[in-house]
């Protein structure tokens, strides 16, 4: 806005005392000060408001005005409340430095002038930014020349003083202006957004983390190629990005809200463009998967892998090793939790990919698995370039390349059982936000294979990952994963024991102990768990439980008396161990 516009606003009570030729100066902001030297707080273009408390003698006016003029302020407005009239020495100093000077009537509060300037300047900035965003949208719609989401986030920061970040549904930062959000904050914001979306609340959603308020805007493409509004929200909730703005949008005017909605649509265009770029990697994974499942010759599969390697690992001289990750998202109906696949079956759902809800579960799991497999510390959408995910039925299947050095025995921490991706660490940073998106009717289960170095091993890796996923499906919780190392133990067998057999077996062994504990507070169940965990060592178990060995012997004797078992026998120890695991 211009200084002239302030003078023409009667409600501000401004009277021009000098600088009529400079009234076309632009005003970028406002600052109130009574410091003798406020230069450290000035950036240029401000209207400076002062009550003249800094002036003790006439000699003070010259240095004060010289500082303002040197900082490039737009003008000076002095209040009449302190001295009654504006001193002549101040008027003369402003005239010498060609600084417009206004007198502020004592009946007008500085806050009134500040509010008016901020409102006008923000409105003009929003209008300018809207024009820039519109030009940027046209550039990005026709190709990547617009520069990506970072450019528009920089505009929000420079023109509207808004800090903003684009986040994935797991809270991974895709783009941002300035400092990145801490991982804990971004994951919390993603979870709040997913929960609000599942609850059917309209955006923007408001969230407060560590005392800071954020407004969360869904990023959806409402233009050509956008998904129909009638689609079930569960088909997109786990793949849509969000825009997190460090501000409370609850009291924003409609114009600013419309502007931010335009920004989200602009970013959605970029998201769709990058989604399309995944097509090649998805096609490669689909071709390899179809060959593996059809029982193709290893030589044919190996040829396909040689084609895939340069795309997924550019510059790699030799064919990599591979891991397979299988994921499945299951939705219940009418609030019922998803079943995550029938335990004990080898299929992939058998429902044409809808899981009985009408939702195409395979594409949902595909998008989600592509996100989960990205290193959470990696910023930017292109960090997923080495991930190829296909889907069949309800399953998503990822073909994950590993550089050959990952399994080199001379490489630290390498080795066939430890290299590559680990199921126990895969979901650490994404479990909470994804649980919010799955709400009370969805489940995500994943299985991870060991790394293989040849086409011959790929079919076994696929079956291994599927078996691991079924082990994960037998566990409680919304988000579960299991790895290949769990398939070499009793853990593989337990999920496939029928529920009625489980209940009968555990009840026969453990119910007498539970009943006794409830009546006598004897802690026989914790004692049994500790005794087995210490491999039957009386000394180690007594030390762990802080008991005298004789007290431990008494408790173990009571366990044997109540159950008719002998804890010195391997068979009875094994029965108790399995009963505790299945209970």
């Amino acid at each position: 806005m211009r200084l002239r516009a302030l003078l023409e606003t009667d409600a501000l009570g401004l009277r021009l005392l000098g600088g009529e030729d400079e009234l076309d100066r632009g005003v970028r902001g406002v600052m109130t000060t009574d410091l003798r030297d406020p230069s450290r707080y000035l950036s240029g273009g401000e209207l400076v408001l002062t009550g003249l408390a800094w002036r003790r003698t006439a000699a003070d006016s010259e240095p004060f005005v010289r500082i303002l003029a040197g900082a490039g302020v737009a003008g000076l407005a002095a209040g009449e409340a302190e001295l009654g009239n504006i001193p002549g020495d101040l008027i003369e100093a402003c005239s010498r430095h060609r600084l417009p000077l206004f007198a502020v009537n004592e009946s007008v509060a500085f806050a009134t002038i500040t509010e008016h300037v901020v409102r006008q300047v923000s409105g003009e900035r929003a209008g300018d930014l809207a024009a820039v965003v519109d030009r940027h949208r046209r550039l990005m719609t026709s190709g990547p020349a617009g520069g990506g989401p970072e450019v528009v986030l920089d505009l929000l920061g420079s023109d509207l003083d808004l800090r903003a970040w684009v986040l994935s549904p797991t809270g991974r930062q895709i783009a941002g202006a300035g400092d990145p959000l801490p991982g804990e904050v971004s994951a919390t914001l993603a979870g709040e957004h997913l929960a609000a979306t599942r609850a059917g609340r309209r955006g923007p959603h408001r969230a407060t983390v560590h005392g800071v308020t954020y407004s969360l805007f869904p990023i959806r493409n409402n233009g050509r190629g956008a998904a129909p509004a009638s689609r079930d929200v569960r088909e997109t909730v786990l793949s849509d990005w969000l825009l997190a703005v460090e501000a409370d949008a609850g009291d924003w005017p409609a114009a600013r809200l419309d502007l931010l909605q335009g920004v989200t649509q602009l970013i959605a265009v970029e998201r769709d463009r990058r989604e399309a770029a995944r097509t090649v990697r998805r096609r490669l994974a689909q071709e390899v998967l179809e060959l593996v499942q059809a029982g193709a010759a290893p030589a044919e599969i190996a040829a396909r892998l040689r084609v895939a390697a340069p795309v997924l690992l550019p510059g790699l001289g030799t064919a990599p090793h591979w891991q397979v990750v299988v994921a499945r998202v299951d939705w219940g109906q009418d609030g019922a939790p998803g079943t995550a696949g029938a335990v004990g079956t080898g299929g992939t759902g058998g429902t044409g990919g809808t899981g009985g809800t009408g939702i195409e579960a395979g594409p949902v799991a595909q998008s989600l698995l592509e996100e989960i497999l990205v290193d959470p510390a990696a910023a930017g959408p292109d960090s997923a370039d080495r991930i190829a995910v296909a889907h069949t039925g309800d399953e998503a299947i990822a073909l994950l390349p590993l550089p050959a050095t990952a399994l080199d025995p001379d490489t630290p921490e390498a080795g066939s059982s430890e290299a590559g991706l680990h199921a126990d660490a895969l979901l650490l940073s994404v479990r909470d936000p994804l649980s919010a998106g799955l709400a009370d009717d969805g489940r995500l289960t994943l299985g991870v294979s060991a790394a293989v170095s040849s086409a011959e091993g790929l079919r076994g890796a696929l079956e291994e990952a599927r078996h691991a996923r079924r082990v994960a499906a037998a566990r409680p919780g919304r988000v579960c994963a299991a790895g290949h190392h769990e398939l070499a133990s009793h853990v593989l067998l337990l999920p496939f024991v029928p529920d009625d057999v489980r209940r009968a077996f555990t009840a026969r062994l453990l119910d007498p102990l539970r009943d006794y504990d409830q009546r006598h507070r004897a802690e026989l169940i914790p004692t049994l768990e500790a005794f087995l965990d210490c491999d039957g060592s009386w000394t180690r178990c007594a030390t762990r439980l802080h008991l005298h060995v004789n007290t431990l012997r008494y408790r173990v004797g009571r366990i044997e008396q109540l159950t008719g078992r002998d804890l010195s026998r391997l068979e009875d120890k094994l029965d108790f161990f399995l009963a505790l695991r299945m209970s």
Side-chain angles (χ1 to χ4, degrees):
M1 66 178 302
R2 305 295 176 184
L3 283 174
R4 191 180 305 279
L6 294 174
L7 191 61
E8 294 170 353
T9 305
D10 294 338
L12 299 183
L14 296 178
R15 189 172 79 257
L16 183 64
L17 299 180
E20 184 173 0
D21 295 338
E22 306 293 332
L23 290 180
D24 285 328
R25 290 187 181 186
V27 180
R28 296 178 53 194
V30 62
M31 175 192 173
T32 300
T33 184
D34 275 310
L35 295 174
R36 290 191 174 193
D37 182 3
S39 57
R40 73 184 69 177
Y41 305 110
L42 298 172
S43 58
E46 297 92 348
L47 173 67
V48 175
L49 306 176
T50 181
L52 299 177
W54 50 267
R55 182 185 178 277
R56 294 182 175 86
T57 68
D60 293 333
S61 294
E62 171 63 25
F64 180 77
V65 173
R66 186 171 60 248
I67 289 170
L68 298 188
V73 304
L76 175 64
E80 297 179 323
E82 182 75 16
L83 301 178
N85 292 312
I86 306 303
D89 48 88
L90 180 60
I91 298 174
E92 292 173 3
C94 287
S95 177
R96 282 193 298 271
H97 291 280
R98 302 180 63 83
L99 182 65
L101 175 63
F102 302 89
V104 182
N105 190 283
E106 61 181 344
S107 64
V108 178
F110 281 177
T112 301
I113 300 174
T114 300
E115 181 181 352
H116 176 83
V117 172
V118 170
R119 186 167 57 248
Q120 294 298 316
V121 170
S122 296
E124 291 176 4
R125 283 183 179 176
D128 293 341
L129 181 59
V132 174
V133 167
D134 185 62
R135 290 195 300 272
H136 199 67
R137 180 188 292 114
R138 290 196 296 270
L139 283 172
M140 290 181 66
T141 302
S142 61
E150 290 84 359
V151 174
V152 72
L153 297 185
D154 285 338
L155 290 172
L156 288 177
S158 62
D159 285 40
L160 291 185
D161 298 324
L162 292 176
R163 299 178 67 206
W165 302 265
V166 177
L167 304 178
S168 77
T170 65
R172 181 175 61 89
Q173 181 170 314
I174 293 168
D179 296 334
L181 282 173
E184 175 196 356
V185 174
S186 58
T188 300
L189 293 178
E192 294 278 352
H193 169 74
L194 290 172
T197 302
R198 286 303 314 275
R201 301 204 302 270
R202 293 175 59 86
H205 311 124
R206 184 177 182 274
T208 300
V209 183
H210 301 323
V212 180
T213 299
Y214 300 85
S215 295
L216 311 176
F217 293 80
I219 294 178
R220 301 190 185 101
N221 185 3
N222 296 323
R224 186 175 64 181
S230 59
R231 284 179 61 180
D232 192 312
V233 68
R234 291 176 292 183
E235 294 189 36
T236 59
V237 67
L238 295 178
S239 59
D240 283 342
W241 293 352
L242 68 135
L243 176 66
V245 181
E246 189 179 303
D248 188 349
D251 56 355
W252 281 5
R256 178 169 285 204
L257 286 172
D258 289 344
L259 174 62
L260 266 293
Q261 294 295 347
V263 169
T264 64
Q265 291 178 30
L266 173 61
I267 297 173
V269 173
E270 175 69 0
R271 178 190 178 279
D272 292 345
R273 186 182 68 80
R274 302 197 187 199
E275 180 78 5
R278 293 182 174 181
T279 303
V280 174
R281 299 193 299 277
R282 288 175 171 176
R283 186 182 300 122
L284 286 171
Q286 196 74 40
E287 290 174 354
V288 174
L289 174 62
E290 290 172 358
L291 289 174
V292 171
Q293 293 191 130
E300 186 177 0
I301 298 174
R304 270 282 137 215
L305 291 177
R306 284 194 294 272
V307 172
V311 176
L312 299 177
L313 287 175
L316 192 68
T318 58
H321 296 76
W322 304 89
Q323 271 184 291
V324 176
V325 182
V326 173
R328 177 166 166 156
V329 175
D330 285 86
W331 302 104
Q333 293 179 323
D334 301 324
T339 61
V343 174
T345 65
T348 60
T351 60
T354 65
T357 62
I359 301 173
E360 293 189 48
V364 175
Q366 181 182 43
S367 295
L368 188 55
L369 186 54
E370 287 172 334
E371 169 61 28
I372 290 173
L373 291 177
V374 178
D375 182 351
D382 294 330
S383 52
D385 281 350
R386 297 182 178 182
I387 298 167
V389 183
H391 73 83
T392 174
D394 282 353
E395 283 183 341
I397 301 171
L399 188 64
L400 191 71
L402 302 172
T405 54
L407 295 185
D408 186 343
D410 295 328
T411 301
E413 300 182 2
S416 59
S417 64
E418 297 297 330
L421 193 66
H422 295 274
D424 53 358
L426 190 60
L427 301 176
L428 287 178
S429 63
V430 302
R431 189 182 305 275
D432 289 344
L434 291 185
S435 296
L438 293 164
D440 59 354
D441 61 349
R443 288 198 75 202
L444 167 68
T445 51
L446 292 96
V448 181
S449 79
V452 296
S453 58
S454 67
E456 289 87 347
L458 207 54
R459 183 177 180 84
L462 175 59
E463 291 306 314
E464 193 173 55
R466 281 176 167 162
H467 280 301
R469 191 206 65 78
R470 286 195 290 272
V471 169
R475 296 172 175 167
R478 289 279 159 213
V479 181
C480 299
H484 60 90
H485 59 282
E486 299 181 63
L487 304 184
S489 73
H490 65 280
V491 177
L492 174 62
L493 303 177
L494 296 185
F496 307 107
V497 177
D499 287 343
D500 55 344
V501 176
R502 282 171 175 259
R503 287 190 292 269
F505 182 74
T506 58
R508 186 165 58 250
L509 279 175
L510 301 182
D511 279 2
L513 306 182
R514 292 193 180 103
D515 293 342
Y516 190 88
D517 281 348
Q518 289 178 356
R519 291 196 308 270
H520 302 285
R521 298 182 179 180
E523 297 187 353
L524 296 184
I525 292 288
T527 300
L528 175 61
E529 291 175 331
F531 186 72
L532 295 175
D533 194 43
C534 292
D535 298 323
S537 168
W538 296 99
T539 303
R540 283 194 290 127
C541 184
T543 301
R544 174 181 293 191
L545 296 176
H546 306 289
L547 297 175
H548 192 277
V549 172
N550 289 340
T551 303
L552 176 61
R553 290 184 183 277
Y554 171 80
R555 289 189 183 180
V556 170
R558 179 62 68 183
I559 292 171
E560 293 174 333
Q561 180 184 11
L562 292 170
T563 60
R565 298 300 187 104
D566 182 355
L567 277 169
S568 65
R569 287 166 39 93
L570 176 61
E571 294 88 346
D572 287 342
K573 286 180 182 177
L574 180 59
D575 283 348
F576 277 122
F577 177 80
L578 293 175
L580 289 169
R581 282 300 181 98
M582 289 191 293
S583 63

